[in-house]
Amino acid sequence: MSESSSFARLIAGRPVRVVGDVHGDIAAFRHATATDRFVVQLGDLVDYGPDSAGALRLMASVIEERRGVFVLGNHDRKLGRALLGRKLRRDPVVEATLAQITRPENADVLDIVVPMLSAAPTWLRLGRRVFVHGAFHTRMLVEDAPGGLDGVTPVLSRAMFGEVVGRTQADGYPERRLNWVDHIPAGYTVYCGHDRRSTDGRPWVKHGRNGGTAVFVDTGAGKGGHLAWIDLPAEDPHTPDYPAPEPYFDHGSPRDSHGAAPQGF
């Protein structure tokens, strides 16, 4: 059985809470997971914020209780590879997280973190919803997601790092573009983190030329912003979450299927 098929069976018609990048903001993550909804966290549990170990511990508990799942983010991948002794560029951010989870009081996290990150899917499908950390690729609709701690394929690179263009911005981060949004099929909604595109503290919505929609849920938790989440009804394969906009719809203003601002900010 594929990862996405197992995921669909696990949810079994339950409403969903989509949670953006946590980055160690444990207090906000506790609020986000205090729900009867099935939690889908979009990756980057660790780095920057005050308690990456706590975020990993809480996510492991949610998974154990079969009430949530997370997709692997690029920061989670980097931590896992560091713990496995893989070659990577060690920076102060990952070094701080490594120092935190290797403290004696976090021995329980150190025991579970590599198996947990190794088992995390790199994207998930649920009907016409796709959940991924970085960005969408059309092959995600027909291929099962590979593990995220080994070598990078083009599709896995898209899932982890978004659509990069090979240039570095003034802030030192890779320049990314959003052409991939135009390739989302009509009626599909892709929920992603990674790119902090919001200008008003709410998840940012962009409609593509083929009729699909991308919802960017990273609003800066652990980096001076806050943690955002969106509550969705049980999946209906016939009804998209974000219908196609009217001709003068503002693509920067998020809407849910009823035209109201999503919940959970």
Side-chain angles (χ1 to χ4, degrees):
M1 182 182 297
S2 71
E3 185 75 45
S4 287
S5 297
S6 299
F7 172 53
R9 289 171 64 89
L10 180 60
I11 291 182
R14 296 164 64 182
V16 173
R17 173 165 290 180
V18 186
V19 181
D21 301 32
V22 173
H23 284 303
D25 188 345
I26 185 62
F29 195 33
R30 288 193 185 105
H31 285 290
T33 57
T35 178
D36 292 332
R37 293 173 174 271
F38 190 90
V39 174
V40 179
Q41 198 281 320
L42 296 174
D44 278 6
L45 288 165
V46 302
D47 292 345
Y48 296 108
D51 195 354
S52 291
L56 290 164
R57 183 182 290 115
L58 178 54
M59 191 70 245
S61 175
V62 169
I63 293 170
E64 177 66 23
E65 294 165 4
R66 298 179 65 80
R67 61 185 188 91
V69 68
F70 80 107
V71 297
L72 196 74
N74 59 303
H75 283 265
D76 312 313
R77 168 184 160 85
K78 193 168 190 178
L79 174 63
R81 287 177 62 82
L83 289 168
L84 288 170
R86 305 282 172 79
K87 185 178 179 180
L88 74 158
R89 186 178 68 179
R90 304 284 282 257
D91 57 41
V93 173
V94 72
E95 292 292 348
T97 299
L98 286 167
Q100 184 183 119
I101 66 172
T102 53
R103 293 174 190 160
E105 65 269 26
N106 292 324
D108 62 316
V109 175
L110 191 59
D111 286 342
I112 64 172
V113 61
V114 170
M116 177 173 149
L117 298 181
S118 298
T122 45
W123 65 79
L124 286 168
R125 302 183 302 271
L126 180 63
R128 293 192 177 194
R129 296 169 180 166
V130 178
F131 305 96
V132 64
H133 177 68
F136 171 76
H137 191 289
T138 53
R139 285 167 59 183
M140 293 175 184
L141 298 179
V142 295
E143 294 182 9
D144 290 332
L149 300 188
D150 295 320
V152 177
T153 66
V155 183
L156 184 58
S157 176
R158 180 73 59 84
M160 292 290 99
F161 309 112
E163 187 178 11
V164 296
V165 298
R167 293 188 295 270
T168 302
Q169 303 175 129
D171 61 7
Y173 288 96
E175 183 178 338
R176 296 189 286 266
R177 61 186 180 184
L178 300 181
N179 292 358
W180 59 269
V181 178
D182 290 330
H183 297 279
I184 303 171
Y188 279 77
T189 304
V190 175
Y191 295 90
C192 62
H194 192 55
D195 264 317
R196 188 179 174 183
R197 297 278 174 172
S198 174
T199 59
D200 60 5
R202 301 185 298 168
W204 186 68
V205 175
K206 182 174 175 61
H207 295 283
R209 293 177 183 173
N210 280 349
T213 301
V215 184
F216 297 79
V217 193
D218 182 3
T219 50
K223 298 180 177 180
H226 62 273
L227 182 63
W229 58 87
I230 301 174
D231 287 342
L232 301 174
E235 200 272 336
D236 181 346
H238 304 295
T239 304
D241 293 329
Y242 289 78
E246 297 298 325
Y248 296 101
F249 183 84
D250 177 1
H251 288 187
S253 300
R255 298 286 188 271
D256 67 10
S257 57
H258 304 289
Q263 301 297 305
F265 311 113

